[in-house]
Amino acid sequence: MVKQKIIIANWKMKLDMPASLALAKEYQVKFKSGTEDKEVVVCPSTIVIAEINKILAGGKIWLGAQNVFWEERGAYTGEISVKMLEQAGCRYVIIGHSERRQYLLENYQMIHQKLKEVLSDSRLIPIVCIGETLKEKEAGKRDYVIVDQLQQALGGIQLLSQQQVIIAYEPVWAIGTGQVITPLDAENMHEIIRASLVDLFGIDIINKQFRIIYGGSVDSANVAEFSELDNIDGLLVGGASLKAEEFYQIVVSI
Ligand code: PGA
């Protein structure tokens, strides 16, 4: 089954407010045409989401957030709810990015809670991040780690028939390092991910409601290697999404 490819820009905390708004304006102009067959998403810093929603209005780019909290409301200083993200104009939300796992000690129990909250009452589409560290890879534990992360994040989750989930496979050693996975290796990992998702949800749900995307040092120079792989439904792009032209080239090439 051919799924529409999705390409997600993750700006992380790399741009200040004026720079974020300026880049959103460049995106809006750049993505006016040529990418109709793709879904393009931008995930800026939370503080500029509402403003960027105005900039992107009427265009072809969807808005996403980089994080969300697992409770609906309450005394949770500094956190942002699902409802708030929706109200600010988001359609997507990244959950459990490896930088949050590394610096904020976010674990898969938290990721599971966040996913449950997003799916409980919302039109937000979760982008759940998984990926092994270099240490885990070198110890030969990669496949085990990936399957375990998927089970912890998604085990026991119930999906309504129209709900979509995106799984972003991002080897931690490939993020922001310039070290890219070989396309064959990526294809292989995506097969493993798909097989464990089928175990959890059954083939029909996986075919209709899941997309598996790759992230980690993708740029316009190496994107062609991924475009021929048919089990990669899209890309999560960090550094190379900070220039509108570079990101546009990635989107049209995949
Ligand atoms: P990168 O980041 O493209 O800069 O490696 C990817 C990500 O963290 O999502």
Side-chain angles (χ1 to χ4, degrees):
M1 182 176 166
V2 182
K3 299 174 184 178
Q4 190 178 42
K5 291 232 161 69
I6 181 163
I7 305 91
I8 303 163
N10 175 11
W11 291 354
K12 312 191 178 188
M13 202 183 72
K14 294 204 172 184
L15 302 173
D16 63 15
M17 292 174 70
S20 301
L21 303 185
L23 185 56
K25 283 177 194 154
E26 280 185 53
Y27 267 40
Q28 181 70 342
V29 174
K30 192 99 228 160
F31 286 84
K32 274 215 157 69
S33 63
T35 59
E36 290 77 7
D37 55 335
K38 318 270 166 69
E39 224 172 319
V40 181
V41 181
V42 58
C43 302
S45 295
T46 314
I47 197 158
V48 287
I49 285 176
E51 204 56 41
I52 288 186
N53 189 35
K54 292 182 207 155
I55 295 171
L56 299 181
K60 299 192 168 74
I61 303 172
W62 296 100
L63 197 50
Q66 299 176 13
N67 183 35
V68 66
F69 194 55
W70 60 73
E71 294 289 348
E72 214 181 308
R73 72 171 65 78
Y76 304 106
T77 302
E79 295 300 333
I80 313 272
S81 72
V82 164
K83 178 73 87 29
M84 291 171 195
L85 292 182
E86 280 183 1
Q87 289 168 339
C90 288
R91 178 174 162 91
Y92 290 89
V93 60
I94 297 173
I95 300 178
H97 190 279
S98 71
E99 283 145 18
R100 298 193 59 81
R101 303 198 308 267
Q102 182 181 353
Y103 300 115
L104 293 143
L105 307 186
E106 203 165 300
N107 60 36
Y108 278 90
Q109 203 183 338
M110 299 175 192
I111 293 166
H112 177 82
Q113 282 179 272
K114 290 180 175 197
L115 179 62
K116 240 170 114 177
E117 175 64 14
V118 168
L119 294 171
S120 71
D121 165 39
S122 95
R123 286 146 290 146
L124 273 188
I125 300 174
I127 302 155
V128 180
C129 297
I130 56 169
E132 79 286 356
T133 61
L134 185 60
K135 207 167 149 210
E136 289 162 341
K137 180 177 171 242
E138 286 177 346
K141 293 187 186 154
R142 178 171 67 178
D143 300 1
Y144 166 79
V145 167
I146 295 304
V147 172
D148 183 53
Q149 290 175 344
L150 285 170
Q151 284 174 346
Q152 286 196 59
L154 295 148
I157 293 281
Q158 303 281 343
L159 292 177
L160 299 174
S161 59
Q162 78 286 5
Q163 280 179 323
Q164 296 284 317
V165 177
I166 293 165
I167 303 294
Y169 171 56
E170 298 205 296
V172 177
W173 50 268
I175 297 178
T177 57
Q179 247 186 298
V180 196
I181 195 169
T182 67
L184 203 66
D185 226 7
E187 180 138 74
N188 185 13
M189 285 315 294
H190 280 229
E191 269 313 311
I192 291 170
I193 292 163
R194 197 179 133 80
S196 25
L197 289 172
V198 169
D199 276 352
L200 286 167
F201 294 95
I203 187 101
D204 273 4
I205 291 186
I206 301 312
N207 283 343
K208 290 195 195 111
Q209 295 176 247
F210 276 78
R211 277 180 286 184
I212 307 170
I213 68 174
Y214 172 76
S217 295
V218 176
D219 59 24
S220 62
N222 61 31
V223 64
E225 298 173 19
F226 294 97
S227 61
E228 276 136 44
L229 309 178
D230 52 25
N231 65 357
I232 293 188
D233 303 317
L235 299 168
L236 181 51
V237 184
S241 70
L242 298 175
K243 294 213 167 73
E245 174 62 26
E246 169 79 2
F247 185 56
Y248 183 80
Q249 288 309 325
I250 293 173
V251 173
V252 293
S253 311
I254 186 73

